[in-house]
Amino acid sequence: MTRQAVSQSGQAGPVAEVLPELRQDAPVEGEAMSQVYGVYTGYFDCATPATWTEHVHETHELLWGARGVLTVEADGGFFAVPATLGLWIPAGVVHAVKSTQGTGFYCSHIDAKVAPHLAERTVAVTVPTAAQELLRHMSTFDMDDAIRRRSEQVVVGLLDVVDARPMLLPMPTDPRLELIARALLDDPALDRSLEEWSVEVAISVRNLSRLFHKETGMTFAQWRIHARVRVALGLLAAGYPVSSVSRRVGYNNPSAFVQVFRKVMGHTPGWYASSLKAGNHHSLAGSE
């Protein structure tokens, strides 16, 4: 896919050849500049599904303003990035990014000198409207160096780490379990039993069950439920109705899906969808 930044006018232009090397010294409005920015933001519009395989940045990365389904694998977990929150990926953290068709999102790179202490691990952060507008403004218009430096500090100061553990799904590292986990994330409606999976990966049911709990802290059944809910979060954020999301993640009975979603998140999928529209960034603070 083509990776592009979009200015306030909507005119698209290339940001960089690949996401891992998103430039910090990108020119503003086509002008050549030697200034190295402490903060630079690009916009990615994914007309087709896109995958950025494992990579690492020398800068912190903030993914925010997601429209559609955006997921990140980092720090041993699988994160669903909702429209109401940003995902902070510290410099040096290996991560991979996936988006579905029609997804759009902003990617801000922040020099470690600008934000040395926000977080050491991948975390969810609030990105209030003021921060969003300032990030877009700094990437669209030329600014006095002193004003830009102050603006960069203001943006970082507006970001708050939030407890959004339901965004995180622990991923197993054993290759056999990883094969199962990725198959279920790619198609959460898969309804294979633990016995069927044990045959697939050539391991006894007892050992498979033990390994799943050891590596994820959950039983296989619990992990599959949480995986389905994580996928559902992205689909609901993308605007799909609850009945459609229910079928996509393996529940032919919407009532069963609502019950499972409430158990994991502490509220119904309908409440979550309404909360997204209202801009409630605490809507991911689930109960488990």
Side-chain angles (χ1 to χ4, degrees), residues 170-171 210-220 222-223:
M171 290 291 288
R210 179 182 58 82
L211 275 174
F212 239 103
H213 193 273
K214 179 181 178 181
E215 295 207 0
T216 68
M218 303 179 190
T219 66
F220 169 76
Q222 289 171 332
W223 192 94

Side-chain angles (χ1 to χ4, degrees), residues 232-286:
L233 290 173
L235 293 171
L236 290 166
Y240 289 95
V242 172
S243 58
S244 175
V245 174
S246 174
R247 291 191 298 272
R248 284 170 175 255
V249 298
Y251 296 94
N252 292 325
N253 184 346
S255 296
F257 169 62
V258 170
Q259 183 178 4
V260 165
F261 192 96
R262 186 199 294 273
K263 182 178 180 181
V264 173
M265 297 300 299
H267 45 68
T268 67
W271 183 93
Y272 172 71
S274 298
S275 184
L276 286 178
K277 293 179 181 178
N280 178 9
H281 58 257
H282 294 292
S283 57
L284 279 175

Side-chain angles (χ1 to χ4, degrees), residues 1 27 39 46 98 122 191 205 235 247 256 283:
M1 62 169 285
V39 177
C46 307
K98 291 183 69 174
T122 303
D191 200 26
V205 173
L235 293 171
R247 291 191 298 272
S283 57

Side-chain angles (χ1 to χ4, degrees), residues 50 87 116 196 214:
L87 190 69
E196 290 173 313
K214 179 181 178 181

Side-chain angles (χ1 to χ4, degrees), residues 112-185:
K113 293 179 180 179
V114 177
H117 304 302
L118 186 65
E120 296 181 356
R121 292 179 60 82
T122 303
V123 294
V125 296
T126 60
V127 188
T129 301
Q132 296 178 23
E133 292 302 326
L134 195 50
L135 285 168
R136 283 190 284 257
H137 182 87
M138 286 192 293
S139 295
T140 305
F141 300 103
D142 195 4
M143 300 173 68
D144 175 81
D145 289 350
I147 294 176
R148 179 176 291 277
R149 286 193 294 270
R150 290 198 297 271
S151 298
E152 291 169 352
Q153 291 297 327
V154 169
V155 162
V156 173
L158 289 171
L159 306 177
D160 285 324
V161 175
V162 295
D163 180 13
R165 282 170 291 180
M167 283 177 66
L168 172 62
L169 179 70
M171 290 291 288
T173 57
D174 183 285
R176 297 162 297 183
L177 272 63
E178 185 180 5
L179 184 150
I180 297 171
R182 295 192 183 281
L184 290 172
L185 289 170

Side-chain angles (χ1 to χ4, degrees), residues 3 15-24 38 40 42 44 51-63 72-74 87-98 105-113 115 119-120 122:
R3 299 167 174 85
V15 174
E17 293 181 1
V18 291
L19 184 60
E21 299 298 330
L22 187 61
R23 286 160 41 200
Q24 294 291 297
Y40 185 76
F44 294 81
T51 299
W52 292 266
T53 55
E54 286 191 343
H55 60 279
V56 65
H57 303 289
E58 295 181 358
T59 57
H60 304 308
E61 184 175 20
L62 175 65
L63 302 178
V72 175
E73 189 173 344
L87 190 69
W88 177 270
I89 307 171
V93 171
V94 177
H95 59 285
V97 182
K98 291 183 69 174
F105 64 96
Y106 288 92
C107 174
S108 296
H109 283 258
I110 302 173
D111 191 276
K113 293 179 180 179
E120 296 181 356
T122 303

